[in-house]
């Protein structure tokens, strides 16, 4: 079982996690979609910020607004990176355990319910 997944949203300002073994579940897919949207928005804000910063006539208010949006996008991007990094570490740990046990993941394994039914 993997560690809980860091979600790209918060709950009352606190980090929210999903504890599941199903990376294709509804909440996991929603989190994937939200992460992708956050990264797309980050690219758009980055492009707009370059324009504002390249304008010597940009007002203090424009610069401040741009800086605030960049901070928000950086926060989101770092959260996505943390979440994905944790999942990659879990995948690597699982690969190491499979290699050490000689399990290549291709063999059919019986669930505990199936094992119990055979007894």
């Amino acid at each position: 079982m993997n560690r809980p997944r860091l979600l790209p949203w918060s709950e009352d300002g606190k980090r929210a996690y999903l504890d599941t073994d199903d990376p294709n579940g509804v909440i996991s897919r929603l989190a994937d979609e939200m992460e992708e949207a956050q990264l797309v928005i980050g690219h758009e804000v980055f492009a707009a910020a370059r324009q504002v910063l390249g304008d010597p006539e940009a007002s203090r208010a424009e610069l401040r607004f741009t800086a605030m949006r960049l901070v928000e996008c950086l926060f989101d991007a770092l959260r996505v990176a943390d979440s994905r990094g944790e999942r990659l570490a879990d995948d690597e740990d699982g690969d190491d355990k499979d290699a050490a046990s000689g399990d290549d993941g291709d063999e059919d394994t019986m669930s505990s319910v199936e094992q119990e039914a055979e007894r």
Side-chain angles (χ1 to χ4, degrees):
M1 182 172 157
N2 296 333
R3 75 180 100 192
R5 175 185 178 169
L6 175 62
L7 295 171
W9 56 81
S10 62
E11 191 170 302
D12 299 324
K14 298 177 183 172
R15 289 180 161 213
Y17 291 88
L18 174 64
D19 190 9
T20 183
D21 289 330
D22 184 6
N24 297 313
V26 174
I27 302 298
S28 293
R29 289 192 320 267
L30 179 63
D32 291 340
E33 291 170 10
M34 187 166 182
E35 286 178 351
E36 182 63 28
Q38 288 173 326
L39 295 177
V40 167
I41 291 167
H43 283 282
E44 292 169 356
V45 169
F46 178 72
R50 291 185 72 151
Q51 289 181 338
V52 171
L53 295 174
D55 179 3
E57 301 295 316
S59 70
R60 182 181 175 140
E62 289 172 313
L63 293 171
R64 182 171 173 73
F65 179 83
T66 299
M68 294 300 294
R69 299 303 72 82
L70 286 170
V71 167
E72 292 168 357
C73 290
L74 178 59
F75 177 84
D76 290 343
L78 291 173
R79 183 175 287 211
V80 170
D82 287 345
S83 178
R84 291 181 179 182
E86 289 172 2
R87 286 182 279 152
L88 283 174
D90 285 345
D91 288 346
E92 288 173 1
D93 290 346
D95 291 345
D96 292 344
K97 288 177 187 173
D98 288 347
S101 70
D103 182 9
D104 60 7
D106 291 335
E107 296 178 20
D108 290 331
T109 56
M110 292 178 21
S111 71
S112 58
V113 172
E114 291 171 325
Q115 291 173 357
E116 193 64 35
E118 281 201 350
R119 290 184 188 171

